[in-house]
Amino acid sequence: MVREQRLKPCHSSNQTVGRRREFTMALADNASCAKPSDDAVFPEIIELNVGGQVYITRHNTLVSVPGSLLWEMFTQKNIRSLARDNKGRFFVDRDGFLFRYILDYMRDQQLVLPEHFPERSRLQREAEYFKLPELVKTLAPKLSKQNSIGDEPCQSDPEELSPSMDTARNLAAASAILGGAPGGSITATAGGGTGQDIRRSGFITIGYRGSYTLGRDSQTDAKFRRVARIMVCGKTSLAKEVFGETLNESRDPDRPPERYTSRYYLKFTFLEQAFDKLADSGFHMVACNSTGTCAFAHEQTDDKIWTSYTEYVFYRE
């Protein structure tokens, strides 16, 4: 009888624990059923992957222009219908670099482009894709040939703004007017004097970096290893006039004609070719300098590897 009395409280305790577990599980099921679906809710901060470029912005920015493509994407109820990358970011298969201007426009409906922006037509195409009609109108080319002082030039081809083109037109008109004068047509330099060609004065600096080996005996001849690259520094219009197709502009492709650059280089590696082209264009060397530093010494032969940098300054009157 004693054992039976002791077992009864234990049996009652097990029933109480079981009921509590059932009650807890029921509450959890009710909570899961009451949880709202994430399909209809966009987060406040949204990460975008546009052509491989990642952008982070607010949801309000993306829906700031009603009727645009981004507005249509981020006002729909089903988030799962939007494409995502492997990290869960919303993916848009467009030009990732030009999208920065699209996003800037979505923030305050104003367009601010860098000076001499070369991809205006491509940005206009992106604006058409994202359904931004006001931005498309802003990017549309102007019909008038002459812009007012307040207009932003932003030409696709910077060469159209070169004063040398206007000079050539003026000289052609003057030649037509004075074609009957003795001596035939007239030509002039940019400084105002007459001459054989239309040439402007200016400086062009040629620089190159090379390396050479010098042995322990200082009387031995240095063995030049290579000339890595011939750099060109000067006004863009002069550099293009002298070197033409042999000028590599890939490191500074959008430089206007009347601006200076130090990032152009030549497609060949012989200094004599550069000197010949400069001499043919009427330039002559006025200064040069060179520096040399010892990079390291060869362990077996004690030969020292030197690195040198040399610059030649040319001028045309």
Side-chain angles (χ1 to χ4, degrees):
M1 294 297 293
V2 176
R3 291 180 179 178
E4 292 179 357
Q5 291 177 356
R6 290 179 179 177
L7 290 174
K8 285 181 180 179
C10 296
H11 179 70
S12 176
S13 176
N14 291 338
Q15 290 180 348
T16 303
V17 173
R19 290 175 181 175
R20 289 179 178 177
R21 289 179 178 176
E22 293 177 357
F23 181 73
T24 303
M25 294 177 63
L27 289 177
D29 292 340
N30 292 334
S32 62
C33 294
K35 184 178 180 181
S37 175
D38 292 337
D39 289 346
V41 179
F42 283 95
E44 181 182 1
I45 305 300
I46 294 180
E47 293 189 23
L48 298 174
N49 180 350
V50 184
Q53 299 295 318
V54 178
Y55 293 89
I56 301 177
T57 186
R58 291 182 176 273
H59 177 263
N60 292 337
T61 300
L62 298 177
V63 298
S64 60
V65 181
S68 65
L69 179 63
L70 294 173
W71 180 86
E72 294 175 356
M73 292 173 57
F74 292 97
T75 55
Q76 58 180 311
K77 296 182 178 180
N78 188 7
I79 297 181
R80 295 182 179 179
S81 63
L82 299 178
R84 293 176 182 255
D85 62 6
N86 55 0
K87 293 186 177 180
R89 295 175 293 223
F90 296 103
F91 179 76
V92 182
D93 189 15
R94 300 300 295 182
D95 192 316
F97 295 100
L98 292 179
F99 184 75
R100 59 178 294 191
Y101 304 108
I102 299 294
L103 189 59
D104 284 343
Y105 177 80
M106 298 290 289
R107 292 189 176 104
D108 51 15
Q109 281 72 59
Q110 292 183 359
L111 177 65
V112 179
L113 296 178
E115 186 178 4
H116 302 286
F117 183 68
E119 297 182 304
R120 195 180 183 92
S121 59
R122 294 185 59 190
L123 182 58
Q124 181 182 359
R125 184 178 61 184
E126 295 298 306
E128 294 174 352
Y129 175 82
F130 285 102
K131 299 180 181 180
L132 300 170
E134 295 300 324
L135 182 57
V136 173
K137 293 179 182 178
T138 304
L139 292 169
K142 301 181 184 300
L143 298 178
S144 59
K145 295 183 180 180
Q146 295 181 350
N147 295 329
S148 62
I149 298 177
D151 292 339
E152 182 180 6
C154 289
Q155 300 291 335
S156 298
D157 186 7
E159 292 295 343
E160 294 179 0
L161 302 176
S162 175
S164 62
M165 302 297 292
D166 296 334
T167 305
R169 296 191 187 98
N170 295 336
L171 290 173
S175 298
I177 296 174
L178 302 177
S185 62
I186 62 171
T187 57
T189 61
T194 59
Q196 296 295 327
D197 300 316
I198 305 174
R199 295 183 175 182
R200 287 174 292 175
S201 61
F203 290 89
I204 289 182
T205 302
I206 301 295
Y208 76 93
R209 190 181 304 277
S211 60
Y212 58 93
T213 303
L214 188 62
R216 207 184 326 178
D217 185 3
S218 60
Q219 300 299 324
T220 58
D221 294 335
K223 299 179 180 179
F224 286 87
R225 301 167 65 89
R226 65 188 179 91
V227 174
R229 181 169 289 177
I230 302 176
M231 305 297 298
V232 177
C233 175
K235 187 175 289 187
T236 301
S237 57
L238 286 179
K240 291 182 178 181
E241 174 194 338
V242 174
F243 297 106
E245 296 296 328
T246 62
L247 187 69
N248 195 323
E249 308 171 42
S250 60
R251 296 179 61 188
D252 199 3
D254 305 325
R255 180 65 58 178
E258 296 307 309
R259 296 293 181 90
Y260 288 86
T261 181
S262 60
R263 299 179 60 83
Y264 289 167
Y265 62 94
L266 300 179
K267 297 180 181 179
F268 48 76
T269 57
F270 294 97
L271 284 172
E272 291 79 5
Q273 293 176 278
F275 294 164
D276 288 343
K277 287 185 173 295
L278 287 164
D280 293 340
S281 300
F283 285 82
H284 62 278
M285 189 172 65
V286 295
C288 67
N289 67 336
S290 180
T291 60
T293 57
C294 182
F296 61 89
H298 198 279
E299 296 180 356
Q300 298 179 355
T301 61
D302 290 336
D303 290 344
K304 293 183 178 180
I305 308 298
W306 289 78
T307 300
S308 65
Y309 183 74
T310 306
E311 288 183 340
Y312 302 92
V313 183
F314 290 82
Y315 177 71
R316 183 175 68 186
E317 296 181 356

PDB file of all heavy atoms in Angstrom, residues 210-215 220-226 301 303-306:
ATOM      1  N   GLY A 210      64.077  52.255 -68.296  1.00  0.00           N
ATOM      2  CA  GLY A 210      64.800  51.080 -68.760  1.00  0.00           C
ATOM      3  C   GLY A 210      65.684  50.512 -67.666  1.00  0.00           C
ATOM      4  O   GLY A 210      65.811  51.076 -66.577  1.00  0.00           O
ATOM      5  N   SER A 211      66.305  49.384 -67.944  1.00  0.00           N
ATOM      6  CA  SER A 211      67.211  48.763 -66.980  1.00  0.00           C
ATOM      7  C   SER A 211      68.454  48.281 -67.722  1.00  0.00           C
ATOM      8  O   SER A 211      68.405  47.943 -68.907  1.00  0.00           O
ATOM      9  CB  SER A 211      66.527  47.587 -66.276  1.00  0.00           C
ATOM     10  OG  SER A 211      66.120  46.598 -67.200  1.00  0.00           O
ATOM     11  N   TYR A 212      69.566  48.256 -67.017  1.00  0.00           N
ATOM     12  CA  TYR A 212      70.817  47.801 -67.617  1.00  0.00           C
ATOM     13  C   TYR A 212      71.683  47.168 -66.534  1.00  0.00           C
ATOM     14  O   TYR A 212      71.511  47.406 -65.338  1.00  0.00           O
ATOM     15  CB  TYR A 212      71.549  48.962 -68.303  1.00  0.00           C
ATOM     16  CG  TYR A 212      71.878  50.127 -67.402  1.00  0.00           C
ATOM     17  CD1 TYR A 212      73.103  50.203 -66.747  1.00  0.00           C
ATOM     18  CD2 TYR A 212      70.963  51.168 -67.216  1.00  0.00           C
ATOM     19  CE1 TYR A 212      73.400  51.277 -65.918  1.00  0.00           C
ATOM     20  CE2 TYR A 212      71.254  52.239 -66.393  1.00  0.00           C
ATOM     21  CZ  TYR A 212      72.477  52.287 -65.746  1.00  0.00           C
ATOM     22  OH  TYR A 212      72.767  53.344 -64.929  1.00  0.00           O
ATOM     23  N   THR A 213      72.637  46.346 -66.996  1.00  0.00           N
ATOM     24  CA  THR A 213      73.533  45.622 -66.098  1.00  0.00           C
ATOM     25  C   THR A 213      74.924  46.234 -66.186  1.00  0.00           C
ATOM     26  O   THR A 213      75.456  46.463 -67.278  1.00  0.00           O
ATOM     27  CB  THR A 213      73.593  44.132 -66.476  1.00  0.00           C
ATOM     28  OG1 THR A 213      72.272  43.599 -66.452  1.00  0.00           O
ATOM     29  CG2 THR A 213      74.467  43.356 -65.499  1.00  0.00           C
ATOM     30  N   LEU A 214      75.541  46.480 -65.043  1.00  0.00           N
ATOM     31  CA  LEU A 214      76.886  47.044 -64.971  1.00  0.00           C
ATOM     32  C   LEU A 214      77.739  46.141 -64.089  1.00  0.00           C
ATOM     33  O   LEU A 214      77.381  45.854 -62.946  1.00  0.00           O
ATOM     34  CB  LEU A 214      76.850  48.460 -64.394  1.00  0.00           C
ATOM     35  CG  LEU A 214      78.175  49.229 -64.446  1.00  0.00           C
ATOM     36  CD1 LEU A 214      78.613  49.425 -65.897  1.00  0.00           C
ATOM     37  CD2 LEU A 214      78.018  50.587 -63.764  1.00  0.00           C
ATOM     38  N   GLY A 215      78.864  45.665 -64.668  1.00  0.00           N
ATOM     39  CA  GLY A 215      79.711  44.717 -63.959  1.00  0.00           C
ATOM     40  C   GLY A 215      80.563  45.365 -62.887  1.00  0.00           C
ATOM     41  O   GLY A 215      80.513  46.586 -62.659  1.00  0.00           O
ATOM     42  N   THR A 220      83.850  48.438 -68.062  1.00  0.00           N
ATOM     43  CA  THR A 220      83.088  47.611 -68.999  1.00  0.00           C
ATOM     44  C   THR A 220      81.831  48.341 -69.442  1.00  0.00           C
ATOM     45  O   THR A 220      81.273  49.175 -68.714  1.00  0.00           O
ATOM     46  CB  THR A 220      82.706  46.278 -68.349  1.00  0.00           C
ATOM     47  OG1 THR A 220      81.947  46.559 -67.162  1.00  0.00           O
ATOM     48  CG2 THR A 220      83.934  45.484 -67.971  1.00  0.00           C
ATOM     49  N   ASP A 221      81.423  48.026 -70.650  1.00  0.00           N
ATOM     50  CA  ASP A 221      80.228  48.658 -71.192  1.00  0.00           C
ATOM     51  C   ASP A 221      78.980  48.133 -70.472  1.00  0.00           C
ATOM     52  O   ASP A 221      78.893  46.963 -70.115  1.00  0.00           O
ATOM     53  CB  ASP A 221      80.110  48.380 -72.695  1.00  0.00           C
ATOM     54  CG  ASP A 221      81.229  49.040 -73.475  1.00  0.00           C
ATOM     55  OD1 ASP A 221      81.769  50.046 -72.974  1.00  0.00           O
ATOM     56  OD2 ASP A 221      81.568  48.541 -74.565  1.00  0.00           O
ATOM     57  N   ALA A 222      78.032  49.028 -70.275  1.00  0.00           N
ATOM     58  CA  ALA A 222      76.760  48.628 -69.672  1.00  0.00           C
ATOM     59  C   ALA A 222      75.923  47.875 -70.704  1.00  0.00           C
ATOM     60  O   ALA A 222      75.884  48.241 -71.883  1.00  0.00           O
ATOM     61  CB  ALA A 222      76.011  49.856 -69.173  1.00  0.00           C
ATOM     62  N   LYS A 223      75.272  46.846 -70.255  1.00  0.00           N
ATOM     63  CA  LYS A 223      74.411  46.044 -71.130  1.00  0.00           C
ATOM     64  C   LYS A 223      72.958  46.416 -70.854  1.00  0.00           C
ATOM     65  O   LYS A 223      72.420  46.129 -69.794  1.00  0.00           O
ATOM     66  CB  LYS A 223      74.634  44.556 -70.853  1.00  0.00           C
ATOM     67  CG  LYS A 223      76.053  44.088 -71.122  1.00  0.00           C
ATOM     68  CD  LYS A 223      76.205  42.614 -70.792  1.00  0.00           C
ATOM     69  CE  LYS A 223      77.638  42.133 -71.056  1.00  0.00           C
ATOM     70  NZ  LYS A 223      77.818  40.710 -70.711  1.00  0.00           N
ATOM     71  N   PHE A 224      72.379  47.099 -71.810  1.00  0.00           N
ATOM     72  CA  PHE A 224      70.993  47.508 -71.645  1.00  0.00           C
ATOM     73  C   PHE A 224      70.074  46.317 -71.876  1.00  0.00           C
ATOM     74  O   PHE A 224      70.243  45.557 -72.841  1.00  0.00           O
ATOM     75  CB  PHE A 224      70.646  48.646 -72.612  1.00  0.00           C
ATOM     76  CG  PHE A 224      71.232  49.967 -72.198  1.00  0.00           C
ATOM     77  CD1 PHE A 224      72.514  50.331 -72.585  1.00  0.00           C
ATOM     78  CD2 PHE A 224      70.506  50.825 -71.392  1.00  0.00           C
ATOM     79  CE1 PHE A 224      73.051  51.538 -72.195  1.00  0.00           C
ATOM     80  CE2 PHE A 224      71.048  52.037 -71.001  1.00  0.00           C
ATOM     81  CZ  PHE A 224      72.313  52.396 -71.397  1.00  0.00           C
ATOM     82  N   ARG A 225      69.147  46.168 -71.002  1.00  0.00           N
ATOM     83  CA  ARG A 225      68.253  45.013 -71.065  1.00  0.00           C
ATOM     84  C   ARG A 225      67.026  45.304 -71.918  1.00  0.00           C
ATOM     85  O   ARG A 225      66.720  44.596 -72.857  1.00  0.00           O
ATOM     86  CB  ARG A 225      67.838  44.606 -69.651  1.00  0.00           C
ATOM     87  CG  ARG A 225      69.027  44.242 -68.762  1.00  0.00           C
ATOM     88  CD  ARG A 225      68.639  44.163 -67.306  1.00  0.00           C
ATOM     89  NE  ARG A 225      67.705  43.087 -67.035  1.00  0.00           N
ATOM     90  CZ  ARG A 225      68.063  41.852 -66.725  1.00  0.00           C
ATOM     91  NH1 ARG A 225      69.351  41.539 -66.662  1.00  0.00           N
ATOM     92  NH2 ARG A 225      67.169  40.927 -66.473  1.00  0.00           N
ATOM     93  N   ARG A 226      66.315  46.367 -71.598  1.00  0.00           N
ATOM     94  CA  ARG A 226      65.099  46.659 -72.374  1.00  0.00           C
ATOM     95  C   ARG A 226      64.599  48.052 -72.042  1.00  0.00           C
ATOM     96  O   ARG A 226      64.947  48.627 -71.008  1.00  0.00           O
ATOM     97  CB  ARG A 226      63.993  45.648 -72.075  1.00  0.00           C
ATOM     98  CG  ARG A 226      63.493  45.705 -70.640  1.00  0.00           C
ATOM     99  CD  ARG A 226      62.542  44.568 -70.333  1.00  0.00           C
ATOM    100  NE  ARG A 226      62.073  44.601 -68.974  1.00  0.00           N
ATOM    101  CZ  ARG A 226      60.977  45.225 -68.553  1.00  0.00           C
ATOM    102  NH1 ARG A 226      60.254  45.897 -69.440  1.00  0.00           N
ATOM    103  NH2 ARG A 226      60.606  45.193 -67.292  1.00  0.00           N
ATOM    104  N   THR A 301      77.664  36.759 -60.037  1.00  0.00           N
ATOM    105  CA  THR A 301      78.620  37.542 -60.842  1.00  0.00           C
ATOM    106  C   THR A 301      78.905  38.917 -60.249  1.00  0.00           C
ATOM    107  O   THR A 301      79.760  39.623 -60.770  1.00  0.00           O
ATOM    108  CB  THR A 301      78.063  37.721 -62.264  1.00  0.00           C
ATOM    109  OG1 THR A 301      76.820  38.438 -62.188  1.00  0.00           O
ATOM    110  CG2 THR A 301      77.802  36.377 -62.926  1.00  0.00           C
ATOM    111  N   ASP A 303      77.283  41.422 -60.649  1.00  0.00           N
ATOM    112  CA  ASP A 303      76.796  42.459 -61.566  1.00  0.00           C
ATOM    113  C   ASP A 303      75.606  43.179 -60.921  1.00  0.00           C
ATOM    114  O   ASP A 303      74.731  42.548 -60.316  1.00  0.00           O
ATOM    115  CB  ASP A 303      76.366  41.849 -62.896  1.00  0.00           C
ATOM    116  CG  ASP A 303      77.550  41.344 -63.691  1.00  0.00           C
ATOM    117  OD1 ASP A 303      78.671  41.739 -63.359  1.00  0.00           O
ATOM    118  OD2 ASP A 303      77.347  40.545 -64.625  1.00  0.00           O
ATOM    119  N   LYS A 304      75.564  44.476 -61.057  1.00  0.00           N
ATOM    120  CA  LYS A 304      74.499  45.274 -60.487  1.00  0.00           C
ATOM    121  C   LYS A 304      73.463  45.612 -61.563  1.00  0.00           C
ATOM    122  O   LYS A 304      73.808  45.993 -62.673  1.00  0.00           O
ATOM    123  CB  LYS A 304      75.056  46.563 -59.886  1.00  0.00           C
ATOM    124  CG  LYS A 304      75.951  46.326 -58.669  1.00  0.00           C
ATOM    125  CD  LYS A 304      76.412  47.649 -58.080  1.00  0.00           C
ATOM    126  CE  LYS A 304      77.270  47.414 -56.838  1.00  0.00           C
ATOM    127  NZ  LYS A 304      77.740  48.689 -56.237  1.00  0.00           N
ATOM    128  N   ILE A 305      72.216  45.429 -61.211  1.00  0.00           N
ATOM    129  CA  ILE A 305      71.106  45.747 -62.098  1.00  0.00           C
ATOM    130  C   ILE A 305      70.625  47.158 -61.761  1.00  0.00           C
ATOM    131  O   ILE A 305      70.192  47.439 -60.646  1.00  0.00           O
ATOM    132  CB  ILE A 305      69.949  44.746 -61.950  1.00  0.00           C
ATOM    133  CG1 ILE A 305      70.480  43.309 -62.104  1.00  0.00           C
ATOM    134  CG2 ILE A 305      68.855  45.032 -62.965  1.00  0.00           C
ATOM    135  CD1 ILE A 305      71.098  43.030 -63.451  1.00  0.00           C
ATOM    136  N   TRP A 306      70.733  48.049 -62.738  1.00  0.00           N
ATOM    137  CA  TRP A 306      70.359  49.439 -62.537  1.00  0.00           C
ATOM    138  C   TRP A 306      69.052  49.735 -63.271  1.00  0.00           C
ATOM    139  O   TRP A 306      68.781  49.184 -64.346  1.00  0.00           O
ATOM    140  CB  TRP A 306      71.450  50.373 -63.059  1.00  0.00           C
ATOM    141  CG  TRP A 306      72.696  50.362 -62.222  1.00  0.00           C
ATOM    142  CD1 TRP A 306      73.673  49.412 -62.213  1.00  0.00           C
ATOM    143  CD2 TRP A 306      73.077  51.337 -61.261  1.00  0.00           C
ATOM    144  NE1 TRP A 306      74.645  49.726 -61.311  1.00  0.00           N
ATOM    145  CE2 TRP A 306      74.315  50.913 -60.709  1.00  0.00           C
ATOM    146  CE3 TRP A 306      72.511  52.528 -60.817  1.00  0.00           C
ATOM    147  CZ2 TRP A 306      74.976  51.636 -59.737  1.00  0.00           C
ATOM    148  CZ3 TRP A 306      73.172  53.255 -59.852  1.00  0.00           C
ATOM    149  CH2 TRP A 306      74.391  52.814 -59.312  1.00  0.00           C
TER     150      TRP A 306
END
